[in-house]
Amino acid sequence: MIEIQHYKWKKSTLAEKSITKYKYCENNLKIKEITTEESNNKCTEFVKTYNYIQDRLSEVHQNGEQIVKCYYNDYGDLIEQTFMGTKEKFEYIEYDSKRNWIKRNMYINDKFYKISEREIEYF
């Protein structure tokens, strides 16, 4: 388990404090994240759990509610991701000789958003 602590100061006074703990499985994939936030004498805890299919993220739940859902194509490329009600879709236009995508379209809530291109240099 890994623990990270964050502190936010305002005029030499501690205003906020958060502690996040990460738990990983034997494949080094994050499976749980617990964040405790203290602010204005209130303490709030957020628990995220991560589910995987063949080492690929498929779902994230926060406090029991699904906040992320992912789908992949047969090559392992992300083709759809829903996050907090926003749906992102990816259409892969071009691949290189090693089956890595080099051009894709992105849609947000079924509306075209952008084209991404990348160049991969192999050694």
Side-chain angles (χ1 to χ4, degrees), residues 14-67:
L14 180 61
E16 295 178 19
K17 175 184 173 184
S18 69
I19 299 172
T20 303
K21 296 178 183 178
Y22 301 95
K23 184 177 180 183
Y24 294 84
C25 68
E26 61 275 357
N27 294 344
N28 292 323
L29 298 172
K30 182 170 40 176
I31 57 173
K32 195 168 199 175
E33 176 181 328
I34 302 169
T35 301
T36 305
E37 296 179 351
E38 295 178 27
S39 177
N40 297 328
N41 296 323
K42 285 185 177 180
C43 187
T44 308
E45 183 172 270
F46 301 97
V47 178
K48 290 183 183 175
T49 56
Y50 298 80
N51 299 322
Y52 298 86
I53 297 175
Q54 298 176 349
D55 293 342
R56 291 190 191 102
L57 182 67
S58 65
E59 295 178 336
V60 179
H61 291 83
Q62 180 171 294
N63 297 341
E65 182 180 339
Q66 183 184 69
I67 59 171

Side-chain angles (χ1 to χ4, degrees), residues 87-89 91 105-113:
K87 181 169 53 172
E88 297 176 347
K89 285 187 175 183
E91 176 186 25
N105 291 337
M106 180 181 181
Y107 300 84
I108 296 179
N109 293 329
D110 296 322
K111 293 182 181 174
F112 177 77
Y113 179 67

Side-chain angles (χ1 to χ4, degrees), residues 73 75 77 92-97 99-103:
N73 65 16
Y75 302 109
D77 300 317
Y92 296 89
I93 307 299
E94 194 175 338
Y95 289 87
D96 67 11
S97 62
R99 289 295 307 155
N100 290 304
W101 71 267
I102 54 175
K103 187 175 183 180

